[in-house]
Amino acid sequence: EAGVAQSPRYKIIEKRQSVAFWCNPISGHATLYWYQQILGQGPKLLIQFQNNGVVDDSQLPKDRFSAERLKGVDSTLKIQPAKLEDSAVYLCASSLVFGRTEAFFGQGTRLTVV
Amino acid sequence: GENVEQHPSTLSVQEGDSAVIKCTYSDSASNYFPWYKQELGKGPQLIIDIRSNVGEKKDQRIAVTLNKTAKHFSLHITETQPEDSAVYFCAASIQTGANNLFFGTGTRLTVIP
């Protein structure tokens, strides 16, 4: 079974630039999550989708972050404009059934903002 | 919201010894407690989880215990091996999965051959 795929693996941008990350969850998984992991900390939930609808985006900085899952499969997370404090690993995860089955994480995208 | 504290931040053990990592949580509504192992350059991988209706769960060399009254849970790894070296995260949630998972700050475990 293929795992959660994310791209790119690494990205370096200057502050105030924009960046986008892509995630393809495990086939058939209805729930998709984006987490932010700052160096030395545990992951923090940014947004979660159930199919193509947003379940919770209360911790997403909406002035600069946006995410979509238009067809209920893959998803993109965008930052515009980026700040230095956005440097982190952005992890995508998916689970089969919302609230009832374990989540599987991708390898993440390491973003460095300079 | 939920606050999860994890100790220690680093742990070194000799191969074959046991390792114990402890976490506390603040929200009594939390009832799902997974543990993740994260190797360098990889995403977190679920290694074991426990729900609030269970006090202890074992899977080969790994065990987790939960004390709901005291709001703490622990990960126990016996007969440690070099491949156990990684960062371990505890987490708490009111639901199974990654819904609103609140993670601890991680423990870097080093197993010395």
Side-chain angles (χ1 to χ4, degrees), chain A residues 9 33 35 37 43 48 99 101 106, chain B residues 38 41 43 46 96-99 103:
Chain A
R9 287 294 314 277
Y33 318 82
Y35 276 79
Q37 186 175 20
Q48 57 186 13
T101 56
Chain B
Q38 189 171 27
L46 179 71
T96 306
N99 317 314
F103 283 82

Side-chain angles (χ1 to χ4, degrees), chain A residues 5-67:
Chain A
Q6 290 189 247
S7 67
R9 287 294 314 277
Y10 307 93
K11 190 74 176 178
I12 301 174
I13 62 172
E14 295 183 349
K15 59 183 178 184
R16 291 186 291 274
Q17 286 187 324
S18 62
V19 63
F21 313 126
W22 175 81
C23 171
N24 190 24
I26 294 173
S27 179
H29 281 200
T31 312
L32 184 147
Y33 318 82
W34 284 100
Y35 276 79
Q36 179 193 56
Q37 186 175 20
I38 293 172
L39 187 64
Q41 299 181 18
K44 185 186 83 171
L45 179 69
L46 292 175
I47 188 169
Q48 57 186 13
F49 293 91
Q50 174 69 4
N51 297 311
N52 62 347
V54 175
V55 174
D56 183 1
D57 63 356
S58 58
Q59 299 184 85
L60 187 73
K62 298 181 188 64
D63 58 334
R64 298 183 301 105
F65 286 65
S66 64

Side-chain angles (χ1 to χ4, degrees), chain A residues 9 31 33 35 37 40-45 48 56 59 91 93 95 98-108, chain B residues 32 36 38 40-47 49 51 87 89 94-106:
Chain A
R9 287 294 314 277
T31 312
Y33 318 82
Y35 276 79
Q37 186 175 20
Q41 299 181 18
K44 185 186 83 171
L45 179 69
Q48 57 186 13
D56 183 1
Q59 299 184 85
L91 295 162
S95 63
F98 178 81
R100 297 180 62 184
T101 56
E102 68 172 280
F104 296 86
F105 283 82
Q107 290 184 301
Chain B
Y32 175 64
Y36 287 86
Q38 189 171 27
L40 194 62
K42 296 184 178 180
Q45 179 187 13
L46 179 71
I47 56 172
D49 57 13
R51 290 166 178 79
V87 179
F89 290 96
I94 60 173
Q95 288 177 308
T96 306
N99 317 314
N100 274 325
L101 269 176
F102 290 87
F103 283 82
T105 49

Side-chain angles (χ1 to χ4, degrees), chain B residues 78-94:
Chain B
T78 59
E79 300 172 24
T80 54
Q81 301 167 3
E83 51 265 39
D84 294 330
S85 295
V87 179
Y88 291 81
F89 290 96
C90 63
S93 175
I94 60 173

